[in-house]
Amino acid sequence: MKKIAAPDDVEPVTVGNTRYEAPHWGKTLGFAQNGGHVTAVDVASGKTLWTVELYKIDYKPNMEADKQDSFLVALDFDQASSRLIAENDRGRRFALDPFSRQVTPL
């Protein structure tokens, strides 16, 4: 049985006093899925401010869950639109407004 390789860490993005991170192992944090989350962290205190799920993974019960996980591979800040731009390992891109926390597939 072949083991799925762990994803590479995504470089966090800091804007002002907030650092945006892409945690991979959401299930260990109490979320319903691994991957697809962006977390905002206060730089000074290290306190998590909020977490947003960018997309849902529809886990199929007849398939191994780790083969269905989908992780973020890139996270950037687009200054022109004041949005975070994230891309997952399947090539899907998403824009996240860090103020309203609205997610838009691109």
Side-chain angles (χ1 to χ4, degrees), residues 64-93:
E64 293 176 49
D66 64 341
K67 290 183 180 177
Q68 299 176 70
D69 290 335
S70 178
F71 300 101
L72 295 179
V73 296
L75 186 62
D76 293 302
F77 186 73
D78 177 28
Q79 292 203 356
S81 65
S82 297
R83 300 185 304 174
L84 291 161
I85 306 298
E87 183 175 346
N88 72 8
D89 56 2
R90 297 178 184 170
R92 294 178 60 204
R93 297 179 69 227

